[in-house]
Amino acid sequence: MRNILSGDVDFNKRLNGSNFTGFVHSAFKRTFNIQCFDSGELYTIACRSIDNAPNTLIVDTENTSQWNIEVNDRVFVEDKILYISNKLALNISQAITWESLLPPYPSNEEILLHNVRWAREYIDCQGKGGGIKKCSKPLNPFEAETCKMLEQRTKSLLNNLAMNRIDLAIKHAVSLVGLGPGLTPSGDDFLTGLFTTLHMEHSPLYEHRSFCEKVTKKAKSFTNDISYSALEQASIGKVRESIISFVNSLLIENEDDLILSLNKVLDIGSSSGTDLALGLVCGLEANIKAGGKPC
């Protein structure tokens, strides 16, 4: 029996309030994903080095591969115990609940504007290239062309979003889905960061947050299940804890906190963290421009 350290509030409710059944969708060293039979939705079991996230339970272990979890293993709940075949039993009754809550957009943008400029410069220096951030020396013509497409499409998306040309913005956003390297492609990670900023209450683009769900509805056939799940959650304002911490740090005058939180995001995946961070920064810049201020 393993204890769950913490878990997304909605996932906990789902497990405690119904006869949850599913199967293992995919398995990795530090996580494995479960697909619910009823809804088709993906849920994640992660080791303690992973931060809290939507539809995720954090287990007190260094890695999840030790249990030899395999694709299609049966998953079910019985007496507040989540079973994965006969390989793992997780006690869900004592889990600390976590909820994805974004801070509101600030009424005074001066601190935000300064921090966004600083964060962009930091990402330019410390971020990983090959996705949204250009790689100084592409490995091959395909990588060079992909980076060029990402640059052109993100630019078109942001220009139209800042000008409130939402229909055109949707078109360019959909063209990013599935584009780029990684299990969660660069275009998807960028959109996840961008969607986050539109769900900050009182932001200039908050009234257009339905843009996120409209893009996501068109995106399902263009990317993989895991990446789509992250996009779907972000489209309703639900993102992982490290992203929320970074957003919070952008709203206050504390450079040490900003460096710490931004580095945690940049450390996600290979280039995924850089793509996420740039999506956030670009989304906030679009909000600032939509509010009438230059970046």
Side-chain angles (χ1 to χ4, degrees), residues 84-155:
I84 292 81
S85 187
N86 60 350
K87 301 175 180 178
L88 179 64
L90 298 173
N91 183 359
I92 63 178
S93 63
Q94 302 298 319
I96 297 172
T97 57
W98 172 85
E99 187 172 4
S100 176
L101 293 174
L102 289 166
Y105 193 84
S107 56
N108 186 331
E109 293 177 320
E110 293 308 313
I111 293 174
L112 175 63
L113 182 56
H114 173 271
N115 285 342
V116 164
R117 288 171 176 166
W118 182 93
R120 179 172 279 282
E121 291 177 4
Y122 191 88
I123 295 167
D124 285 344
C125 294
Q126 302 296 328
K128 298 172 186 174
I132 300 297
K133 182 180 182 289
K134 276 186 176 181
C135 185
S136 56
K137 294 181 179 180
L139 296 176
N140 50 60
F142 177 79
E143 183 178 81
E145 182 62 23
T146 299
C147 286
K148 181 180 177 182
M149 292 168 67
L150 285 165
E151 181 181 26
Q152 292 173 339
R153 294 178 188 187
T154 52
K155 184 177 180 180

Side-chain angles (χ1 to χ4, degrees), residues 18-238:
S18 67
N19 296 319
F20 183 94
T21 59
F23 61 94
V24 174
H25 171 278
S26 45
F28 307 95
K29 183 178 180 180
R30 299 192 298 166
T31 64
F32 62 88
N33 298 301
I34 297 165
Q35 189 161 22
C36 175
F37 277 131
D38 290 341
S39 66
E41 198 165 356
L42 287 189
Y43 296 87
T44 300
I45 309 298
C47 67
R48 57 176 172 259
S49 62
I50 304 293
D51 55 318
N52 286 301
N55 282 7
T56 299
L57 299 179
I58 307 297
V59 181
D60 189 14
T61 187
E62 292 184 2
N63 69 76
T64 58
S65 60
Q66 61 183 297
W67 298 310
N68 297 314
I69 304 297
E70 296 178 314
V71 173
N72 292 325
D73 279 347
R74 183 188 173 210
V75 178
F76 61 97
V77 173
E78 190 174 279
D79 297 328
K80 297 188 181 300
I81 305 296
L82 176 65
Y83 293 95
I84 292 81
S85 187
N86 60 350
K87 301 175 180 178
L88 179 64
L90 298 173
N91 183 359
I92 63 178
S93 63
Q94 302 298 319
I96 297 172
T97 57
W98 172 85
E99 187 172 4
S100 176
L101 293 174
L102 289 166
Y105 193 84
S107 56
N108 186 331
E109 293 177 320
E110 293 308 313
I111 293 174
L112 175 63
L113 182 56
H114 173 271
N115 285 342
V116 164
R117 288 171 176 166
W118 182 93
R120 179 172 279 282
E121 291 177 4
Y122 191 88
I123 295 167
D124 285 344
C125 294
Q126 302 296 328
K128 298 172 186 174
I132 300 297
K133 182 180 182 289
K134 276 186 176 181
C135 185
S136 56
K137 294 181 179 180
L139 296 176
N140 50 60
F142 177 79
E143 183 178 81
E145 182 62 23
T146 299
C147 286
K148 181 180 177 182
M149 292 168 67
L150 285 165
E151 181 181 26
Q152 292 173 339
R153 294 178 188 187
T154 52
K155 184 177 180 180
S156 296
L157 162 60
L158 294 166
N159 286 340
N160 283 290
L161 194 59
M163 296 296 291
N164 287 330
R165 296 193 289 255
I166 303 303
D167 287 343
L168 283 173
I170 290 171
K171 175 184 175 182
H172 292 296
V174 173
S175 75
L176 283 168
V177 177
L179 182 62
L183 177 62
T184 54
S186 295
D188 299 16
D189 288 325
F190 179 86
L191 289 173
T192 295
L194 178 69
F195 288 175
T196 304
T197 68
L198 269 68
H199 283 277
M200 295 175 68
E201 195 173 358
H202 308 310
S203 67
L205 292 172
Y206 184 71
E207 64 179 304
H208 296 305
R209 61 193 180 280
S210 62
F211 156 86
C212 307
E213 291 187 76
K214 290 176 181 177
V215 171
T216 305
K217 285 179 180 178
K218 295 176 180 288
K220 191 167 181 63
S221 61
F222 298 120
T223 193
N224 63 72
D225 292 340
I226 296 171
S227 192
Y228 178 79
S229 180
L231 273 175
E232 187 175 37
Q233 291 295 323
S235 75
I236 55 174
K238 295 183 178 183

